[in-house]
Amino acid sequence: MNVLIIFTHPSKESLNGALLKNVLEGCRENGFIKDIQLLDLYEENFNPILYFDEKNKRRHMQKNLMKKTYFNL
């Protein structure tokens, strides 16, 4: 079995960080789990807000995915 853990908290020293550590330990101890992937959205600078306006149309997003006008990078 493969496991993907998505972590979304700014501090790994918080209660959520402690829960993450326990989940990772439990996954490592489980013999059925072959692969563990951790995705930390704060480390990835993930921003869930999608930007578009009169100048940047939604219909053009597919062509211009990497422009800063659509993503707050």
Side-chain angles (χ1 to χ4, degrees), residues 6-38:
I6 300 173
F7 183 68
T8 59
H9 198 276
S11 173
K12 288 189 179 178
E13 303 304 318
S14 65
L15 175 61
N16 287 332
L19 291 172
L20 173 65
K21 288 177 188 174
N22 286 329
V23 168
L24 286 171
E25 284 178 28
C27 288
R28 289 183 186 119
E29 293 173 0
N30 188 331
F32 293 106
I33 297 176
K34 296 186 185 335
D35 185 37
I36 304 167
Q37 291 185 352
L38 174 62

Side-chain angles (χ1 to χ4, degrees), residues 50-58 60-61 69-70:
L50 186 61
Y51 295 97
F52 56 89
D53 56 16
E54 287 297 319
K55 182 179 175 185
N56 303 301
K57 306 284 186 188
R58 269 181 63 188
H60 297 137
M61 284 182 186
T69 54
Y70 292 122

